[in-house]
């Protein structure tokens, strides 16, 4: 004879877990799409006049006076070049999220976690060394919004 209340509680727990898992997958896919879109528009954004404040903020850490035109052009080039890198990260995030979702793969969640754990401290340290606090805030936001969902997914898909 089965214990009905225990079975109902287990089924309810499973249903809640699946609902949470679905939302976490959506969140990770949204983050992947955001990376892809941001990477696609970053080369265009780097050249916009309203980005001058950002460029000047970066310039202050390398030049006492206004940055030479060639330095500004190189900065825009580097930012533009970084766009496709961010775009590719978005593709990889989407692919790993899709694989993790389809196969309930802890390995996929682990690789996404590993990527963030390798990237974030280095990026934050380099940003701190350049006094680029905007980058530190962006990196911290990424870590705080990606690590917890990935840990949950890693835990949920442990079976």
């Amino acid at each position: 004879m089965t214990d009905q209340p225990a079975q109902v509680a287990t089924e309810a727990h499973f249903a809640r877990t699946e609902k949470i898992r679905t939302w976490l997958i959506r969140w990770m896919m949204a983050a992947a799409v955001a990376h892809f879109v941001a990477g696609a528009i970053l080369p265009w954004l780097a050249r916009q006049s309203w980005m001058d404040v950002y460029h000047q903020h970066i310039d202050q850490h390398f030049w006492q006076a206004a940055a030479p035109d060639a330095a500004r052009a190189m900065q825009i080039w580097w930012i533009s070049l970084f766009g496709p890198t961010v775009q590719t990260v978005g593709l990889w995030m989407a692919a790993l999220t899709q694989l993790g979702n389809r196969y309930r793969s802890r390995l996929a969640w682990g690789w996404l976690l590993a990527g963030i754990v390798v990237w974030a401290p280095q990026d934050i340290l380099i940003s701190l060394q350049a006094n680029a606090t905007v980058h530190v805030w962006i990196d911290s936001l990424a870590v705080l919004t990606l690590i917890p969902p990935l840990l949950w997914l890693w835990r949920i898909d442990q079976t």
Side-chain angles (χ1 to χ4, degrees):
M1 184 166 187
T2 63
D3 186 15
Q4 283 292 57
Q7 184 178 0
V8 169
T10 301
E11 289 172 3
H13 174 73
F14 179 76
R16 269 192 316 274
T17 300
E18 285 303 300
K19 190 172 186 175
I20 291 169
R21 186 178 186 280
T22 298
W23 280 104
L24 294 176
I25 298 292
R26 288 177 183 165
W27 178 258
M28 291 307 301
M29 285 304 285
V33 169
H35 276 79
F36 184 84
V37 171
I41 64 173
L42 198 53
W44 177 77
L45 289 177
R47 292 173 173 78
Q48 299 305 307
S49 61
W50 53 269
M51 288 286 291
D52 285 345
V53 173
Y54 170 81
H55 291 302
Q56 290 166 358
H57 176 74
I58 300 299
D59 291 346
Q60 291 172 357
H61 302 291
F62 299 100
W63 305 95
Q64 289 179 351
D69 291 341
R72 176 61 62 85
M74 183 178 283
Q75 181 177 329
I76 290 171
W77 178 78
W78 274 110
I79 292 169
S80 298
L81 188 63
F82 185 60
T85 303
V86 173
Q87 194 173 22
T88 301
V89 168
L91 285 174
W92 290 337
M93 285 176 68
L96 284 169
T97 299
Q98 191 67 14
L99 289 171
N101 182 34
R102 175 173 283 175
Y103 299 109
R104 293 183 166 270
S105 172
R106 289 182 92 189
L107 189 60
W109 310 131
W111 280 114
L112 283 165
L113 282 163
I116 295 167
V117 167
V118 167
W119 158 78
Q122 294 178 79
D123 204 87
I124 289 171
L125 179 62
I126 291 166
S127 296
L128 285 171
Q129 289 171 341
N131 252 349
T133 54
V134 170
H135 289 263
V136 174
W137 284 107
I138 292 169
D139 293 347
S140 299
L141 179 66
V143 168
L144 292 172
T145 60
L146 295 175
I147 294 284
L150 287 169
L151 287 172
W152 266 89
L153 287 164
W154 187 79
R155 184 174 165 268
I156 289 170
D157 287 347
Q158 68 185 348
T159 55

